[in-house]
Amino acid sequence: MAFGAIIIGDEILSGRRSDKHLAKLVEMLGARGLRLAWARYVGDDAQRLVAALRESFATGDVVFSFGGIGATPDDRTRQCAATALGLELALHPEAEAILREKFGAEITPHRLQLGTYPQGSAIIPNPYNQVPGFSIRGHHFVPGFPVMAWPMVEWVLDTQFRHLHHADDYTEAAITVLDAVEGKLVDLMEYVSTEFPDLELFSLPSVPTAPGEVRTIELGVKGPAASVATAMARIRAEVGARGYAWQEKA
């Protein structure tokens, strides 16, 4: 089962706001032994959003969608999700009850739109202001506000996917090689990739940006824990034998 993310809003693409959801989602998944397979940014254009959601629904992945589920004219996620699925929008009975309790005598048809989702949706509780998000076909739609979105994502992960927490034999490890260039370590990388086909090797170089800094390479592997431990032992030994200083990557 793969996890994906869709982050919606013209304000992200224009730079008026900086996205915080991607890094936080990676963190929340990682804390549960899960990992993000892909992410996509989409603006508020309805045609593009419908196309993106159709592609996403077709994957069968578990997807968290952030933003655009309010009731203002630029919030189009609910409508686009319905269109992508070929469904009608309908006022969710449980969401209606929550909204009527929240707003009391001040409830209006406009506010009830906040509980209008593609038919067949289930609600996601919102501990911040009680206005629910919704889930349908493996997709979980939450607001763009982190204070609301993040607890809602955690609720989904902990109620619907607890059985997957730490289920995979998967870990990552790396060292930071000091004053090194990738070209001189390619043969080592090729050796590790050949000897440990069940692992994914990664190499992340950096270049100095200030006087006194040295270039570094974050060199590591990810996959089954036992293989990671064995591969990293060989990497440390070989890097040291070549005269490079290195540090454990936190």
Side-chain angles (χ1 to χ4, degrees):
M1 181 175 291
F3 289 86
I6 298 177
I7 299 162
I8 298 167
D10 286 347
E11 68 277 8
I12 301 296
L13 300 182
S14 69
R16 288 194 300 275
R17 288 190 178 178
S18 297
D19 170 53
K20 299 178 182 178
H21 296 304
L22 181 59
K24 184 63 177 181
L25 181 58
V26 170
E27 176 188 321
M28 290 188 288
L29 289 169
R32 294 160 175 82
L34 305 170
R35 55 191 184 274
L36 190 67
W38 57 268
R40 183 169 183 175
Y41 290 94
V42 189
D44 295 320
D45 178 77
Q47 185 174 357
R48 290 183 183 274
L49 185 51
V50 168
L53 288 169
R54 279 179 177 151
E55 292 178 12
S56 181
F57 281 120
T59 65
D61 293 341
V62 176
V63 178
F64 291 97
S65 173
F66 299 87
I69 64 170
T72 57
D74 61 330
D75 288 322
R76 303 186 176 100
T77 303
R78 293 176 293 116
Q79 299 90 327
C80 290
T83 300
L85 291 170
L87 298 173
E88 297 294 327
L89 287 171
L91 180 60
H92 191 286
E94 191 174 351
E96 179 182 5
I98 292 170
L99 293 170
R100 288 190 182 278
E101 181 178 355
K102 173 180 173 60
F103 292 110
E106 297 181 353
I107 193 68
T108 64
H110 181 261
R111 282 175 167 166
L112 284 174
Q113 288 182 21
L114 293 168
T116 301
Y117 317 129
Q119 287 182 330
S121 295
I123 68 166
I124 302 173
N126 180 342
Y128 182 79
N129 69 357
Q130 291 73 59
V131 178
F134 66 98
S135 297
I136 189 167
R137 306 282 178 88
H139 285 51
H140 308 280
F141 296 86
V142 298
F145 297 104
V147 70
M148 303 178 196
W150 298 350
M152 295 168 77
V153 169
E154 290 192 304
W155 181 87
V156 172
L157 290 172
D158 292 339
T159 59
Q160 299 191 30
F161 300 106
R162 184 174 292 276
H163 63 290
L164 296 178
H165 293 190
H166 304 287
D168 286 345
D169 179 12
Y170 176 88
T171 190
E172 297 184 14
I175 60 173
T176 300
V177 187
L178 306 178
D179 200 19
V181 294
E182 285 184 304
K184 294 186 177 181
L185 295 175
V186 169
D187 62 323
L188 173 58
M189 297 180 202
E190 291 175 340
Y191 166 79
V192 171
S193 296
T194 300
E195 290 295 310
F196 299 91
D198 57 336
L199 300 181
E200 293 182 49
L201 181 139
F202 56 91
S203 173
L204 304 172
S206 69
V207 295
T209 59
E213 290 185 353
V214 298
R215 66 177 67 232
T216 63
I217 300 172
E218 182 182 336
L219 183 60
V221 289
K222 49 190 176 181
S227 292
V228 166
T230 303
M232 287 306 304
R234 296 192 187 179
I235 288 172
R236 294 184 190 99
E238 183 60 27
V239 166
R242 297 184 183 201
Y244 292 106
W246 56 269
Q247 301 170 345
E248 290 289 349
K249 179 67 178 177

